[in-house]
């Protein structure tokens, strides 16, 4: 069993290039937590095909895109409760993969939808202010998502990347 330090070194190796020359996760800065993503990769039976992790990642892509559409619809309706729920849902999915920026933005959407401030600690009485914050955060999270989607598709040698 690898020690925490060994796993950390292995995950850091994902960002540049692995020692054995296999595919390495491109430099994603602070967009993807390499330790969390490495845990997903460790479940692959075949490091070349990576069928297990690929299915999880591509399932997330479908889930995120569908959730973004639901968020847009809920934003138009002014449905803060639904926006909070959708933010919470996508926060959990993105955290599982280590998509830190996406997770953090979804958590802010969850808070704003709950009529709270960015940190989730201070009440916000003005629904219009909350909806505007969600609108801005949703635009940003879509950009963050597109960046990690591109990097992950490159990692999986997807020609659409």
């Amino acid at each position: 069993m690898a020690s925490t330090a060994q796993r950390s070194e292995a995950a850091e190796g994902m960002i540049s290039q692995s020692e054995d020359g296999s595919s390495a996760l491109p430099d994603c800065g602070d967009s993807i937590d390499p330790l969390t993503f490495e845990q997903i990769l460790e479940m692959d039976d075949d490091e070349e095909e990576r069928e297990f992790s690929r299915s999880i990642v591509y399932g997330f892509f479908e889930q995120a895109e569908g959730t973004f559409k639901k968020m847009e619809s809920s934003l138009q309706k002014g449905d803060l409760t639904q926006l909070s729920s959708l933010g919470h849902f996508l926060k959990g999915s993105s955290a599982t993969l280590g998509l830190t920026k996406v997770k953090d933005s979804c958590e802010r959407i969850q808070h704003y939808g709950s009529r709270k401030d960015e940190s989730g600690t201070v009440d916000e009485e003005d629904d219009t202010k909350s909806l505007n914050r969600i609108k801005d955060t949703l635009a940003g999270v879509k950009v963050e998502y597109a960046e990690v989607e591109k990097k992950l598709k490159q990692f999986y040698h997807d020609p659409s990347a």
Side-chain angles (χ1 to χ4, degrees):
M1 188 85 189
S3 71
T4 302
Q6 289 170 325
R7 284 194 309 270
S8 177
E9 288 174 18
E12 290 301 322
M14 285 173 34
I15 292 175
S16 56
Q17 184 172 3
S18 59
E19 291 178 22
D20 66 357
S22 64
S23 298
L25 189 64
D27 182 2
C28 296
D30 57 354
S31 295
I32 300 177
D33 175 42
L35 287 174
T36 303
F37 195 73
E38 176 67 19
Q39 291 175 348
I40 303 294
L41 295 177
E42 286 175 358
M43 293 186 244
D44 283 320
D45 290 330
D46 182 346
E47 289 186 20
E48 292 297 317
E49 294 297 319
R50 297 210 177 273
E51 289 179 36
F52 180 78
S53 65
R54 178 189 303 262
S55 70
I56 291 174
V57 168
Y58 280 74
F60 172 78
F61 293 161
E62 290 177 19
Q63 185 181 75
E65 290 165 16
T67 303
F68 289 148
K69 288 178 184 172
K70 290 177 185 176
M71 285 179 170
E72 289 288 351
S73 175
S74 295
L75 190 58
Q76 289 176 353
K77 295 175 188 172
D79 189 344
L80 288 170
T81 303
Q82 180 67 8
L83 286 160
S84 179
S85 177
L86 292 166
H88 177 76
F89 173 71
L90 199 54
K91 176 187 75 172
S93 300
S94 54
T96 299
L97 294 175
L99 308 182
T100 51
K101 285 186 176 182
V102 173
K103 173 192 66 85
D104 292 345
S105 292
C106 289
E107 183 171 37
R108 285 194 301 278
I109 290 171
Q110 177 187 354
H111 292 320
Y112 297 147
S114 296
R115 295 174 174 83
K116 300 283 185 182
D117 70 341
E118 181 175 313
S119 68
T121 57
V122 178
D123 290 340
E124 175 55 64
E125 301 298 323
D126 186 348
D127 285 0
T128 301
K129 190 180 280 189
S130 294
L131 289 166
N132 285 332
R133 288 176 175 164
I134 290 171
K135 181 180 178 183
D136 293 343
T137 306
L138 182 55
V141 74
K142 286 179 176 181
V143 171
E144 295 161 355
Y145 166 77
E147 290 171 0
V148 295
E149 179 188 34
K150 181 179 179 183
K151 295 288 186 180
L152 290 171
K153 283 184 174 184
Q154 288 171 347
F155 176 74
Y156 288 107
H157 308 291
D158 187 324
S160 71

